[in-house]
Amino acid sequence: RLARLGIFEHEHQAEVLEYSPLLREWFGFGPQEAITVEATLARVLPEDREALVAAIRRAHDPAGEGSFAVEYRIAGPQGDRRWLSARSQTFLTGRGSQRRPLRTVGAVVDVTERKETDAALERLVAERTAKLQELVGELEHFSYTLTHDLRAPLRGLRGFAELLGQSCGSDPQAQGLLRRIQTSTARMDSLITDALNFNRAVRQELALRPVDGGALLRGMLESYPELQPSQAEVELQGEFPAVLANEAGLTQCFSNLLGNAVKFVRPGQKPVIRIRAEPRQD
């Protein structure tokens, strides 16, 4: 009674099924009312009845171990519904073809409150998941619009640089500066596209393809202001092989490493950076 635990006992040979007072109360059986398996199953909700019958059959199977554990719902005498968690052990007698169930003892706990809490949590998770999916959809639409709007002026800048290059003739310094502008705008266009598609990338594996590490680094040295000769001494040593990578991710990795190398030096000291590639065997 203190534990709010219902107990039952089933003597199979005498076909006597006894419930404790609490269990009788839950199922709506009177104090002196005879209890049968059929009467018990009649109070179980139809959608849970089949699973309960299957569990009873397994527990009474002479070839089994007699264990029983199942959760099901019942309709109480006042129309109220309860979730019950039942466990029992059936003791068997005899051997071979003479083996049969002798006695079953078990306990039942009312888990309605837990089930209602679980259901409330599931509803909350479903609601928040739906809101999150809606937000992701809005972010994807925003990313598409923002990507389009940000890339438009870059395309114009690249086009004007090409026109200006045609009018500058063969001036090597002007052509070099214009080439850097075109390289930087192309890189910025790629970075904008990759950055604003990040919400898609996190939900799937990053696309990998061969990337020329040397060309990537040289482009960064040409286009990043903090890596210019006036700001830092940067040297690429040796050959840089093509690697299988995501170009946007590799660019971000190199950018972070070079940015830290430039930033963390003694005050007044010009950064000196050496970059090389080494083969590794896993």
Side-chain angles (χ1 to χ4, degrees):
R1 289 195 299 271
L2 291 174
R4 297 291 294 172
L5 187 68
I7 59 175
F8 65 91
E9 183 175 346
H10 187 186
E11 295 288 348
H12 293 273
Q13 293 183 351
E15 286 299 331
V16 175
L17 184 58
E18 290 291 346
Y19 281 6
S20 66
L22 182 59
L23 197 55
R24 283 178 174 270
E25 176 187 332
W26 287 344
F27 276 89
F29 291 118
Q32 304 301 323
E33 184 177 353
I35 301 173
T36 63
V37 174
E38 291 73 16
T40 298
L41 291 175
R43 288 163 168 78
V44 176
L45 297 190
E47 49 267 43
D48 295 346
R49 194 174 298 155
E50 184 177 348
L52 178 58
V53 170
I56 293 173
R57 287 174 179 168
R58 287 193 298 271
H60 295 174
D61 184 357
E65 298 179 353
S67 60
F68 172 94
V70 68
E71 293 184 348
Y72 55 91
R73 289 166 293 179
I74 63 171
Q78 306 300 325
D80 56 318
R81 294 187 175 185
R82 294 178 184 271
W83 268 103
L84 300 181
S85 177
R87 290 178 176 272
S88 71
Q89 178 65 49
T90 297
F91 300 94
L92 305 169
T93 184
R95 294 183 178 182
S97 61
Q98 300 301 315
R99 189 170 172 80
R100 62 187 183 279
L102 179 65
R103 180 168 173 261
T104 299
V105 293
V108 183
V109 179
D110 186 342
V111 293
T112 304
E113 184 176 352
R114 173 173 64 82
K115 286 290 188 178
E116 290 176 349
T117 301
D118 291 346
L121 287 174
E122 289 178 0
R123 288 194 297 270
L124 181 60
V125 170
E127 291 172 2
R128 291 187 176 180
T129 301
K131 290 181 180 179
L132 182 60
Q133 290 174 340
E134 181 180 355
L135 178 60
V136 169
E138 293 175 355
L139 286 174
E140 288 181 345
H141 177 71
F142 173 75
S143 296
Y144 173 81
T145 303
L146 190 59
T147 301
H148 181 271
D149 292 344
L150 288 176
R151 294 176 70 191
L154 285 176
R155 288 193 293 268
L157 183 61
R158 188 188 306 172
F160 290 136
E162 292 176 356
L163 293 175
L164 188 58
Q166 295 173 7
S167 63
C168 285
S170 58
D171 185 342
Q173 183 178 6
Q175 291 292 343
L177 293 173
L178 290 171
R179 180 172 54 81
R180 288 191 177 188
I181 292 175
Q182 292 173 332
T183 301
S184 297
T185 54
R187 187 172 303 283
M188 179 61 71
D189 182 76
S190 177
L191 288 175
I192 288 173
T193 302
D194 291 329
L196 294 178
N197 284 336
F198 178 73
N199 60 325
R200 295 178 183 175
V202 296
R203 292 182 291 164
Q204 58 187 1
E205 293 186 3
L206 293 174
L208 303 179
R209 65 179 184 83
V211 178
D212 187 334
L216 180 61
L217 285 166
R218 286 189 291 271
M220 295 177 65
L221 296 182
E222 288 185 354
S223 58
Y224 282 39
E226 67 271 23
L227 299 179
Q228 300 307 304
S230 60
Q231 302 295 322
E233 181 184 331
V234 185
E235 179 185 352
L236 300 182
Q237 299 179 338
E239 298 295 326
F240 291 85
V243 294
L244 188 63
N246 177 266
E247 185 170 359
L250 190 58
T251 301
Q252 188 63 53
C253 178
F254 285 163
S255 176
N256 291 343
L257 291 172
L258 292 173
N260 288 337
V262 170
K263 184 186 305 180
F264 296 106
V265 295
R266 293 185 180 90
Q269 180 178 345
K270 185 177 182 179
V272 178
I273 304 169
R274 302 287 182 263
I275 307 174
R276 66 182 186 273
E278 294 182 0
R280 296 292 299 271
Q281 286 285 0
D282 292 334

